[in-house]
Amino acid sequence: MKFASLKSASPDGRLVLVARDGATAVEAHGIAATLIDALERWEQLAPALQELYGLLNQGCAPGSFAFDPRNCAAPLPRSYQWCDASAFLNHGRLMERAFNTEPIPDFETIPVMYQGASDDFLGPHDDVALPDESQGIDFEGEFGVIVGHVPMGATAQAAQQQVRLLVQLNDWSLRKLGPREMATGFGFFQCKPSTSFAPLAITPDELGDRWSDGRVKLALAVRWNGAWFGHPNGAEMNYSFGELIAHAARTRRLSAGTVIGSGTVSNVDRGAGSACIAERRVIEIIDQGEARTGFMRFGDTVRMAAQDSQGNMPFGLIEQRVVAAVPAG
């Protein structure tokens, strides 16, 4: 199944099912008004949602309409919890060099994760308003999962069974604020603005064998101001999503609707490019002795889409512009 949330007067949006080809949609209000409602009652509602999805793909769902992703909020416009990891060790090691920090203890055996803001996720085509372009505006292309109820202490295998939906996201960063926050020992806060999401949240079966071993095995194509930036593949994720969920649930229960991120998609092969500017900059330092790529400026655009070998985009497209935030009155 493919889900989206249309913008509405409700902060949780209006839930729709989207056809497999992305052309049409139908409201799910007779079953669940919002995606968080569907997730909290998944076992009860999934059969009816699946039936409606089947009708939509057959072209006979009552009330179906043309789907326009520009009307979408994030699939889950707000959540109880957003936990982002750094599951691509290549990226993590490069960032250690970028920030000139000591190696993270047990990095190769214990996932690292921070808890981000989950009350104001951005839609796929929303402008991204930020206060100061000198703060090092950076995009970060990632994959993520949305889970059902996960008990405390769940094993990785059990945790992976609670993956309800897969998502594609852009975890914005303000790089100039990061080093100080990391040095405090309290971690990221101001350097992590609201995260953006591609329009569609999809059930794992929609990817077939491109979802296996707890990984989204798709290339994430990134373009900055129209120019190619990278196409790293999620298959190189060192920790599976099952392992990440289990890590998050080690000492707490996870509510249905919790979002777990992979961290920036990163490949060892330099030819794959990068999914964030900071990674390209540290590669420039390593290879050329200095960083030559600047960060984003107001008016810049970024485009991200996970693609299969036929060019299909199962999550849809993130395409956003960075703008100056209007000062508070």
Side-chain angles (χ1 to χ4, degrees), residues 122-128 170 172 195-197 296 299-304 318-322:
L122 301 178
H125 297 283
D126 292 344
D127 282 346
V128 181
N170 181 1
W172 291 95
T195 301
S196 305
F197 286 78
M296 297 185 81
D300 282 6
T301 60
V302 64
R303 182 187 193 275
M304 297 181 181
I318 295 174
E319 191 164 29
Q320 295 183 291
R321 179 181 58 153
V322 176

Side-chain angles (χ1 to χ4, degrees), residues 19 24 27 34 46 66 117 123 134 150 158 166 181 191 213 226 231 242 244 256 265 267 283 315 320:
T24 58
E27 289 198 39
T34 64
S134 71
V150 181
L166 310 178
E181 294 191 329
C191 74
D213 306 317
H231 57 258
L244 298 183
V265 180
N267 292 173
I283 289 172
F315 301 98
Q320 295 183 291

Side-chain angles (χ1 to χ4, degrees), residues 118-135:
S118 59
D119 60 329
D120 185 31
F121 292 143
L122 301 178
H125 297 283
D126 292 344
D127 282 346
V128 181
L130 295 169
D132 187 344
E133 65 180 13
S134 71
Q135 291 174 340

Side-chain angles (χ1 to χ4, degrees), residues 133-304:
E133 65 180 13
S134 71
Q135 291 174 340
I137 302 170
D138 198 356
F139 47 81
E140 290 191 63
E142 306 186 16
F143 294 112
V145 297
I146 305 176
V147 303
H149 299 281
V150 181
M152 181 172 60
T155 65
Q157 183 177 7
Q160 194 156 298
Q161 294 302 310
Q162 292 302 312
V163 171
R164 298 291 181 246
L165 299 168
L166 310 178
V167 291
Q168 175 202 314
L169 58 102
N170 181 1
D171 183 42
W172 291 95
S173 289
L174 299 175
R175 296 296 187 186
K176 298 296 180 65
L177 302 182
R180 179 199 167 275
E181 294 191 329
M182 293 171 69
T184 67
F186 277 73
F188 298 136
F189 191 76
Q190 291 179 340
C191 74
K192 285 295 185 181
S194 296
T195 301
S196 305
F197 286 78
L200 303 176
I202 66 176
T203 50
D205 61 289
E206 292 290 330
L207 290 188
D209 61 5
R210 292 163 296 173
W211 166 255
S212 62
D213 306 317
R215 293 163 173 84
V216 177
K217 297 182 177 181
L218 290 171
L220 182 57
V222 181
R223 301 185 76 85
W224 177 15
N225 290 333
W228 177 87
F229 198 84
H231 57 258
N233 197 295
E236 285 192 29
M237 192 169 158
N238 295 85
Y239 295 102
S240 70
F241 274 110
E243 291 172 304
L244 298 183
I245 299 163
H247 177 77
R250 183 182 179 190
T251 60
R252 68 182 76 178
R253 296 174 294 174
L254 303 183
S255 300
T258 295
V259 186
I260 306 288
S262 67
T264 303
V265 180
S266 179
N267 292 173
V268 173
D269 177 13
R270 298 281 178 83
S274 297
C276 76
I277 299 171
E279 182 173 296
R280 175 182 278 191
R281 284 169 58 87
V282 74
I283 289 172
E284 290 172 342
I285 292 170
I286 294 167
D287 292 351
Q288 304 171 44
E290 63 178 356
R292 299 181 178 182
T293 301
F295 291 107
M296 297 185 81
R297 307 294 297 269
F298 293 148
D300 282 6
T301 60
V302 64
R303 182 187 193 275
M304 297 181 181

Side-chain angles (χ1 to χ4, degrees), residues 1-2 17-20 24 26 31 46-62 206:
M1 290 182 283
K2 295 191 173 188
L17 282 159
V18 180
R20 189 166 284 116
T24 58
V26 64
I31 305 168
L49 290 167
Q50 186 68 60
E51 181 179 0
L52 181 59
Y53 184 59
L55 292 173
L56 180 64
N57 285 313
Q58 294 166 24
C60 52
E206 292 290 330

